[in-house]
Each structure stands twice: as structure tokens, then as C-alpha cells.
Amino acid sequence: MNAVNKVLVVGGGIGGLCAAIALRRKGIEVDLVELKAEWTVYGVGIIQQSNVVREMAKLGVLDGYLDAAFAFEDVSINTTDGQQLVRIPGQRLAGPEYPANVGISRLALHKVLSETTVALGASVRLGLSVETLTEDAQGVDVLFTDGSRGRYDLVVGADGLFSKVRGLLFGDKYQPRFTGQSVWRYNFPRPAAIDHLANYQGPAGNAGLVPLADDLMYMFVTSHEPGNPWMATDTLADEMRKRLSGFGGLIGELREQITDGSQVVYKPLEVVFVSEPWYRGRVLLIGDAAHATTPHLGQGAGMAIEDAVVLGEELTAGGSVEQQLERFMARRYERCKYISESSVLAGDKEIAHDHSFDRIGLVVQMLKLTAEPV
Ligand SMILES: Cc1cc2nc3c(=O)[nH]c(=O)nc-3n(C[C@H](O)[C@H](O)[C@H](O)COP(=O)(O)OP(=O)(O)OC[C@H]3O[C@@H](n4cnc5c(N)ncnc54)[C@H](O)[C@@H]3O)c2cc1C
């Protein structure tokens, strides 16, 4: 008899959906609540590296996921003018027949994960959240924001950077922090040369080109934005071109095609890390709610997805809830801490214009570490 048979997942983003899938695959009953009344995600794509492809196989969604994604092998790091410094070969961690890495539009990823969640029988309610969590020795009584109630063996807070569940557990002890940088993104048609993830070391920030589909890729560039200024939409194209002003080569050519401010996706980077066990009693945080970091290593969602898979494994491996969550933390804490801290460090080095920083070494180390079993 499992200690946990019925779980509430709060948040229907990447981490919450993967948790719902992982738990349903293990036969655990799942209710999921999502704050947004319309279950959409914002545009642009996401890089998912070999460890994520491996976890998608464990979640049993790999075929549908790969159909919606652009599969690629290598990661290159290039100079500001586009000269290749290194091309790091991909690792096929899901098996030799599957690709090493993928680029996927956030919308396509959401479609695959949300449809699988519903098909596996999780009960999804939109447009609501939790109001209060009241725990006793046997379970958690939940009051939802629409006045309805439920009782669960475990509540999983997968509600992102501004997590309400984190507030219910820890008060205001952990608050998101602006790192000083922002990211700018823009979609382009994909040229044949961008058949892999191409990074470009810039004078002040880093740029990159990520393939998403046969005919689509996106560009990103990081920038230092002291004071986190507000950016009006009609200025975004001009401002993004300015952030790319030092680049030559392909990035320089593409820069001139950034003309539509409404197509620029601008995001200040905010981070939070819960530096103690991510649970109290029968309430656990996963994903960005516990460890939101910057995108410098392209692993934020990767860590949320790994959290979900490990949770499914530990909740069905015997013992009490306390023992299961302790084992979960033992497998997750140091790995996520490394990704969180290394990603923030890479951004800090860009802000400091520290060109002696060994970014290539960091990427190689990260790929080695994330290839290890979770
Ligand atoms: C610019 C940028 C680029 C990135 N690129 C990459 C990348 O290439 N690769 C990668 O692996 N990661 C990347 N990341 C990180 C990645 O986006 C996050 O780590 C990932 O989305 C975390 O998933 P999550 O489910 O924990 O949180 P979220 O995706 O934030 O999902 C949280 C969900 O909870 C819902 N919610 C919020 N509050 C409540 C509430 N009170 N009640 C109920 N529901 C609630 C939200 O509406 C949302 O649906 C990037 C991040 C940024 C900012």
C-alpha cells in the first residue's frame, strides 16, 4: 500500500504537467489546478538537452514530443563575428535511435504535455488556485479559491517563480531577485546552417540561434539592464537591435531584420532558490517554485522535468511520506543547486565583462553532470 495515493498539483506549467504525467503513470490519482483561465503559454521556444530527452522517454511521451520538436545533435560556441570556437557533440542519452537534443516551441510542448495529462486521467481545473492548506497526520485539507475543498495525501506546488504554495510554506523568506540581466528573443525562418544550437559570445551579452522546426528558429540575446527598466512595446525592436550592435556574421545580418516590436519577447531574469528542504510535512515544491534560475545553461525546465520524474519514482518506492520526500531531496538538491548557481554565475560574468571566464568549460562540465543518472 502506497503512502501517497492522491495528489494535488498546483500549477499547469512544464513542471506541473510532467509531475501529473509521472504520477498518473504510477497509478496515483491526480488533481491539477492552474491559475490561468485560458491554458495558454507565451510564444517562442525552448532548448531541451539530452538529459531532458531521456526524461521524456521515461514519461512515455517521447514520440509525440519529437514529432513536435526539431531534433539536433551538437552545440557550437562561436565568436562575436561567428567564427566557431568549439562544436560539442551531443549525447544520445535516450538511446541510439533518439536524438541528443531538441528545440521545441513552448506552445507545441504545452500541447503534448497537457493532452497527455488529460488522456492519462488527471482531473484538470482551470482559473483557480489554492487558498489555504491545513495539514494533519494523515493528509492535507485544501480550500480552493472558488470555495471548493479537497483532501490529499500530498500537495505539489509547481506554481513557478512567484509560487503561492512557497509563500504558504515559507512566508516571505524566499523572494524572486532580478539578476541585472534580461533576455530578448525573436523568431526567424531557419537557414540550413542552423541545424544545431549555435551560441555567440558577445561584447556584453551572449546571443544564440535555436532551431525549432524545418522553417523556424529563434534568436536570443542577453543584456545588462541596470534598474530593470520598463520597455514599451513600440521600442522593443530598436532596443533589441541596439543590444546586438557588436555582433557580426549571421547574428549581425539577422539583426537588421528585427523590425516588429510586437514580435520581440523581452524578459527580465529573476531567480529564487529555496536553500533548505523543499517540503514541509505533506507539501512539496518542485520546478521554478523551488529553484528558478537564468537560462544561461538552458536547464531550468530540464530540472523541473527531472523533479517530476524523480517524484513519481520515489512516491512508489515504499516508506512513509517523510522518507519518500527525503529521498526525493537527496536526489534533487545538489543537482538543482549546481544548475541554479552556475547559470547565475555565467550571467554575472557577462555583467562584469569578465572575458577570462571559461564558459566553454562550464558548458562541458554541465553536460557531463546532467548526463549522469538523476
Ligand atoms: C527567458 C527564459 C528562457 C528560458 N529558456 C529555457 C530553455 O531553453 N531550456 C530550459 O530548460 N529552461 C528554460 N527556461 C526556464 C524554464 O522556462 C522554467 O524553468 C520552466 O518553465 C519552469 O517550469 P515550472 O512548471 O516550474 O514553472 P512555470 O513554467 O512558471 O509554470 C508555473 C505554472 O503555474 C501557474 N501558476 C502560477 N501561480 C499559480 C497559482 N497560485 N495557482 C495555480 N497555478 C499557478 C502558472 O500560470 C504556470 O502555468 C527559460 C526561462 C526564461 C525566463
Side-chain angles (χ1 to χ4, degrees):
M1 175 78 179
N2 273 344
V4 171
N5 295 297
K6 189 175 180 191
V7 172
L8 172 68
V9 177
V10 183
I14 297 170
L17 289 170
C18 288
I21 293 168
L23 300 183
R24 285 302 302 135
R25 294 264 186 229
K26 299 283 186 180
I28 296 171
E29 198 180 330
V30 175
D31 288 353
L32 185 149
V33 290
E34 161 59 46
L35 190 61
K36 283 186 234 159
E38 239 185 276
W39 209 9
T40 52
V41 289
Y42 68 105
V44 201
I46 189 163
I47 303 159
Q48 304 225 288
Q49 303 182 71
S50 42
N51 57 314
V52 178
V53 180
R54 174 178 60 192
E55 300 311 301
M56 289 298 183
K58 290 187 195 159
L59 288 173
V61 298
L62 195 51
D63 291 334
Y65 167 73
L66 290 177
D67 285 348
F70 186 92
F72 67 90
E73 295 298 309
D74 305 346
V75 175
S76 71
I77 299 183
N78 306 276
T79 65
T80 311
D81 288 330
Q83 307 301 317
Q84 190 171 293
L85 292 169
V86 66
R87 189 154 171 150
I88 304 166
Q91 320 169 85
R92 295 191 161 205
L93 299 181
E97 68 276 36
Y98 292 112
N101 303 299
V102 308
I104 186 167
S105 92
R106 284 185 182 257
L107 213 59
L109 178 61
H110 176 76
K111 188 167 185 295
V112 170
L113 296 179
S114 57
E115 286 178 0
T116 307
T117 296
V118 171
L120 288 173
S123 153
V124 175
R125 288 197 294 159
L126 300 179
L128 84 161
S129 181
V130 291
E131 189 68 54
T132 59
L133 304 172
T134 311
E135 190 175 330
D136 57 44
Q138 274 79 44
V140 188
D141 286 315
V142 178
L143 172 63
F144 294 98
T145 46
D146 65 352
S148 61
R149 291 176 185 275
R151 182 166 171 85
Y152 300 90
D153 300 322
L154 181 73
V155 174
V156 177
D159 50 346
L161 178 67
F162 299 99
S163 170
K164 179 163 185 183
V165 178
R166 188 179 64 232
L168 292 174
L169 284 189
F170 297 104
D172 59 7
K173 184 170 176 188
Y174 298 102
Q175 297 292 333
R177 173 181 73 83
F178 174 57
T179 66
Q181 280 192 308
S182 296
V183 176
W184 308 72
R185 288 164 292 173
Y186 202 83
N187 283 336
F188 291 97
R190 183 183 70 84
I194 301 305
D195 58 356
H196 67 290
L197 166 60
N199 291 291
Y200 301 82
Q201 297 185 327
N206 277 298
L209 296 172
V210 185
L212 290 181
D214 286 342
D215 56 355
L216 186 68
M217 68 173 182
Y218 75 93
M219 176 197 282
F220 66 82
V221 62
T222 55
S223 64
H224 186 199
E225 304 294 340
N228 195 7
W230 164 250
M231 299 278 175
T233 305
D234 59 357
T235 67
L236 286 177
D238 284 351
E239 294 296 334
M240 183 169 178
R241 283 202 310 277
K242 279 187 209 157
R243 303 309 185 276
L244 290 162
S245 62
F247 287 90
L250 180 55
I251 297 282
E253 282 170 34
L254 292 167
R255 175 183 60 227
E256 302 314 315
Q257 297 169 34
I258 299 172
T259 50
D260 182 354
S262 70
Q263 296 303 308
V264 175
V265 181
Y266 175 75
K267 182 102 177 87
L269 296 181
E270 290 171 286
V271 297
V272 71
F273 186 81
V274 175
S275 55
E276 59 190 292
W278 305 333
Y279 67 94
R280 287 201 175 161
R282 292 171 175 269
V283 184
L284 169 73
L285 303 175
I286 65 166
D288 275 12
H291 48 75
T293 191
T294 68
H296 291 81
L297 294 175
Q299 278 289 357
M303 291 302 104
I305 294 164
E306 287 185 356
D307 285 350
V309 173
V310 171
L311 185 63
E313 290 172 358
E314 291 303 340
L315 291 185
T316 47
S320 64
V321 177
E322 171 74 20
Q323 289 166 333
Q324 292 171 349
L325 297 183
E326 264 177 29
R327 293 196 307 259
F328 170 86
M329 286 309 305
R331 290 173 67 186
R332 298 307 301 145
Y333 187 83
E334 288 302 329
R335 195 171 168 106
C336 293
K337 185 166 185 271
Y338 166 81
I339 292 293
S340 290
E341 291 180 352
S342 308
S343 304
V344 171
L345 177 73
D348 288 347
K349 294 293 182 185
E350 289 176 13
I351 292 174
H353 296 277
D354 181 353
H355 298 297
S356 68
F357 177 61
D358 182 10
R359 189 183 172 97
I360 294 173
L362 177 65
V363 171
V364 170
Q365 183 192 52
M366 177 277 291
L367 290 172
K368 190 160 169 257
L369 196 139
T370 51
E372 286 170 12
V374 185

